[in-house]
Amino acid sequence: LAELIAQTEIRNAQGAGGMIGAQVLGMQQKRWLLSNDEGPCPLCEANAAQQWIPIGGAFVSGAEHPLQHPNCRCDAAYRRKPKED
């Protein structure tokens, strides 16, 4: 149990740090990336289904960045602006 808590806290700090770093670099959007590990949970799938959202917004689950839950292996991607269609 202690190892799970430690891994979750470290990955959560990495997720928060990644988002802060992306904001400092001027990124404007973020996207939830599902893990290729075990099947993702419904909340993570819903977050990923949103595609690109504003960097200051929350995903549909309420999370601002991965992790969504203990043992979550998801990640995030960031970009400066949307690609022109």
Side-chain angles (χ1 to χ4, degrees):
L1 182 61
E3 184 176 341
L4 173 63
I5 292 170
Q7 288 176 351
T8 299
E9 292 301 320
I10 289 169
R11 289 196 40 83
N12 195 46
Q14 290 172 328
M19 189 175 85
I20 291 168
Q23 289 171 318
V24 168
L25 292 173
M27 301 298 173
Q28 297 174 356
Q29 293 186 316
K30 61 187 174 183
R31 182 177 181 176
W32 195 277
L33 302 175
L34 294 175
S35 166
N36 287 333
D37 293 347
E38 302 167 12
C41 79
L43 288 174
C44 291
E45 287 180 331
N47 291 340
Q50 285 185 274
Q51 301 294 317
W52 293 101
I53 66 169
I55 197 166
F59 289 97
V60 71
S61 71
E64 293 186 16
H65 55 77
L67 304 180
Q68 178 60 49
H69 51 80
N71 214 25
C72 182
R73 298 285 184 228
C74 295
D75 205 348
Y78 301 93
R79 68 181 183 186
R80 291 192 191 282
K81 63 180 183 178
K83 292 182 180 180
E84 300 296 326
D85 291 329

